[in-house]
Amino acid sequence: AADWLIADRGYDADWFRDALKDKGIKPCIPGRKSRGKAVRYDKRRYKRRNRIEIMFGRLKDWRRIATRYDRCAKTFLSAIALAATVLFWL
């Protein structure tokens, strides 16, 4: 269960926000520039979103993960775990 969903402007839609609120998830999505009424969001939380994107970028440096050579989901997950271990904890 998630408490927050942090996303970029591409996910800014009223129906999407309503669906998240129905499930008890708080959206942290800035409004599009073309939106008539400004939408409130947690700017501090949104700024920390780049950490997640940096992590995925570092994982995609591994060719095996970026191109998804492994057909089996279990093998692919183990390759991600191995890459994460090497990148972040060693």
Side-chain angles (χ1 to χ4, degrees):
D3 294 330
W4 287 85
L5 176 82
I6 304 172
D8 59 358
R9 293 175 195 262
Y11 294 95
D12 179 35
D14 290 330
W15 65 268
F16 188 62
R17 289 178 184 274
D18 293 337
L20 289 172
K21 288 178 185 175
D22 290 343
K23 292 183 180 183
I25 301 172
K26 299 172 199 157
C28 183
I29 306 170
R32 292 182 187 230
K33 293 182 181 183
S34 62
R35 183 182 268 275
K37 185 179 176 186
V39 182
R40 294 183 60 200
Y41 67 98
D42 189 357
K43 293 180 182 179
R44 187 172 163 198
R45 189 177 302 267
Y46 183 75
K47 280 186 176 182
R48 292 187 295 194
R49 180 179 135 280
N50 70 343
R51 293 179 187 173
I52 297 167
E53 292 194 12
I54 290 170
M55 179 204 58
F56 279 112
R58 289 179 69 187
L59 279 174
K60 286 184 179 182
D61 286 342
W62 287 54
R63 184 175 174 200
R64 179 181 191 136
I65 293 171
T67 57
R68 188 156 181 186
Y69 282 153
D70 304 311
R71 292 184 184 167
C72 178
K74 189 182 276 187
T75 309
F76 182 64
L77 182 61
S78 63
I80 290 176
L82 178 65
T85 303
V86 170
L87 287 173
F88 302 110
W89 288 287
L90 291 182

